[in-house]
Amino acid sequence: QVQLQESGPGLVKPSETLSLTCTVSGVSVSSGSYSWSWIRQPPGKAMEWIGDMSYIGRGNYNPSLKSRVTLSIETSKNLFSLKVTSVTAADTAVYYCARWRQLQGLYYFASWGQGTLVTVSS
Amino acid sequence: DIQMTQSPSSLSASVGDRVTITCRASQSISTYLNWYQQTPGKPPKLLIYGASSLQSGVPSRFSGSGSGTHLTLTISSLQPEDFATYYCQQSFSAPWTFGQGTKVEIK
């Protein structure tokens, strides 16, 4: 069974960098059938896709966040990571990591972590 | 970006009711549409992918249909565990975008 678990600080100060890690079990992040994604959900708002990365290091980013986001993947530890720089209160959200799967030309978020609330506040 | 608009934003229904949720895309997305169910404090769960393909383990009372800009999720006979928020998400072109959600509440 595939499981994903986010970890990282729940409180970040404005202008600082938000850093989260997603540890994956039950499947290798090196699998060619998947990309590894980050999605966030601000309180009371729609979910927003942040970006994703495959094991070969090819990343796709939401243009709305691209200038502030860095994604990385560590195959030796079977995890992937997110960094968002220069955060503001607008970055307060529940952050999810997810497995983006391709099946017969169709794409979907097949598995999700439990989510972690990150609050930006001084 | 492709905008996804769900309707209604919320609805009240009784156990056994047939429920339909609509998702409209700002441009044609063919059948590149996924549906998720979310209960409070839990992550979204995939129900339907490719507009109409049922994810393994999901009850057959859930079904999806449509293509282009108008797609729907139907629950044929609402069960107590189905009271949740439902989201559509397009996978036609990046950035992948979600609807704002439809909350299904108990009448």
Side-chain angles (χ1 to χ4, degrees):
Chain A
Q1 182 180 356
V2 178
Q3 293 188 318
L4 296 85
Q5 180 64 59
E6 305 88 351
S7 58
L11 181 64
V12 181
K13 290 183 168 56
S15 80
E16 296 190 343
T17 296
L18 178 162
S19 297
L20 295 174
T21 295
C22 182
T23 301
V24 180
S25 60
V27 68
S28 170
V29 297
S30 300
S31 172
S33 297
Y34 311 126
S35 291
W36 303 96
S37 303
W38 290 95
I39 298 151
R40 69 182 185 179
Q41 187 170 28
K45 296 187 178 181
M47 283 182 279
E48 179 180 37
W49 173 72
I50 299 170
D52 61 53
M53 176 161 281
S54 67
Y55 78 102
I56 59 174
R58 183 175 62 191
N60 297 299
Y61 298 85
N62 192 322
S64 68
L65 294 164
K66 185 175 182 177
S67 64
R68 298 194 294 126
V69 168
T70 301
L71 302 180
S72 60
I73 193 164
E74 290 188 63
T75 55
S76 62
K77 296 182 179 180
N78 218 42
L79 58 79
F80 58 106
S81 301
L82 166 72
K83 292 186 187 298
V84 182
T85 61
S86 305
V87 297
T88 69
D91 295 305
T92 294
V94 174
Y95 285 75
Y96 294 99
C97 58
R99 177 172 61 119
W100 180 241
R101 184 179 185 187
Q102 183 274 122
L103 177 65
Q104 298 175 344
L106 300 174
Y107 296 82
Y108 50 88
F109 296 108
S111 307
W112 297 66
Q114 287 297 307
T116 186
L117 174 63
V118 178
T119 302
V120 178
S121 175
S122 55
Chain B
D1 299 5
I2 298 175
Q3 305 301 316
M4 307 301 294
T5 303
Q6 288 181 234
S7 60
S9 56
S10 65
L11 65 90
S12 295
S14 301
V15 172
D17 284 353
R18 180 182 181 88
V19 169
T20 298
I21 299 169
T22 296
C23 186
R24 292 187 183 272
S26 60
Q27 66 183 76
S28 177
I29 58 170
S30 183
T31 56
Y32 292 92
L33 191 282
N34 307 313
W35 289 99
Y36 303 86
Q37 176 195 62
Q38 187 177 33
T39 53
K42 298 289 188 179
K45 170 190 171 184
L46 178 70
L47 297 176
I48 302 277
Y49 63 94
S52 60
S53 295
L54 196 67
Q55 171 69 344
S56 176
V58 173
S60 59
R61 63 181 178 273
F62 292 93
S63 63
S65 64
S67 66
T69 62
H70 184 197
L71 300 100
T72 60
L73 173 70
T74 299
I75 309 172
S76 60
S77 178
L78 200 63
Q79 298 301 301
E81 59 268 30
D82 301 337
F83 292 95
T85 301
Y86 294 85
Y87 296 93
C88 61
Q89 174 252 325
Q90 63 84 17
S91 58
F92 180 79
S93 68
W96 321 122
T97 47
F98 293 82
Q100 81 281 12
T102 295
K103 187 173 184 179
V104 177
E105 299 175 302
I106 301 172
K107 182 181 286 185

